[in-house]
Amino acid sequence: EVEAWLAGELEGTHTFGWHCGLENGVFPPAERLTEAQMAEVVEAFDQLLFSWNITTDIPESVPIEKAYRLLVSVLERKVSIVDSGFIGIEFCEYEPENCPFGLKWCVCKDC
């Protein structure tokens, strides 16, 4: 799997939602949840991803509402499911002006 990934041959054919059986529509809009509720969902979603050998890279300083929205959006991303190792999902494209975390929380602006 690692060799296939390095060769660019390990492309996801299905979304993560397809794999886990969830759709982003089952998650309420962030405006309808408290910060504590969003924090619980973010923690549970991280655990769900981990159980599928998937990690994300969201800085802890990012507001919980942004983290919630980003994690729910993973359901619509095509991912490869691997049996060994982990697949990392990145949200940042290294353009601070377009950072999904917001310029204030961008981790690459000083690089």
Side-chain angles (χ1 to χ4, degrees):
E1 290 175 334
V2 172
E3 290 173 359
W5 180 78
L6 288 171
E9 299 167 356
L10 193 61
E11 291 293 324
T13 56
H14 296 290
T15 64
F16 181 65
W18 183 89
H19 288 288
C20 72
L22 293 172
E23 297 177 3
N24 66 349
V26 301
F27 290 90
E31 300 79 31
R32 297 195 59 202
L33 299 174
T34 66
E35 285 191 12
Q37 290 170 324
M38 284 186 276
E40 286 184 45
V41 172
V42 164
E43 177 64 29
F45 209 99
D46 274 336
Q47 291 175 7
L48 171 66
L49 290 169
F50 191 81
S51 74
W52 286 85
N53 295 348
I54 299 172
T55 62
T56 60
D57 189 16
I58 300 175
E60 288 186 29
S61 61
V62 169
I64 196 66
E65 183 176 332
K66 286 186 184 287
Y68 173 82
R69 291 174 196 258
L70 288 169
L71 285 175
V72 170
S73 76
V74 169
L75 293 168
E76 296 177 341
R77 285 188 176 218
K78 288 186 177 181
V79 296
S80 298
I81 303 300
V82 297
D83 292 327
S84 59
F86 282 86
I87 295 293
I89 294 178
E90 290 190 18
F91 299 98
C92 184
E93 295 188 20
Y94 305 101
E95 296 178 13
E97 301 80 29
N98 299 318
C99 184
F101 307 133
L103 190 56
K104 182 176 179 180
W105 299 281
C106 182
V107 293
C108 64
K109 67 182 175 193
D110 297 325
C111 296

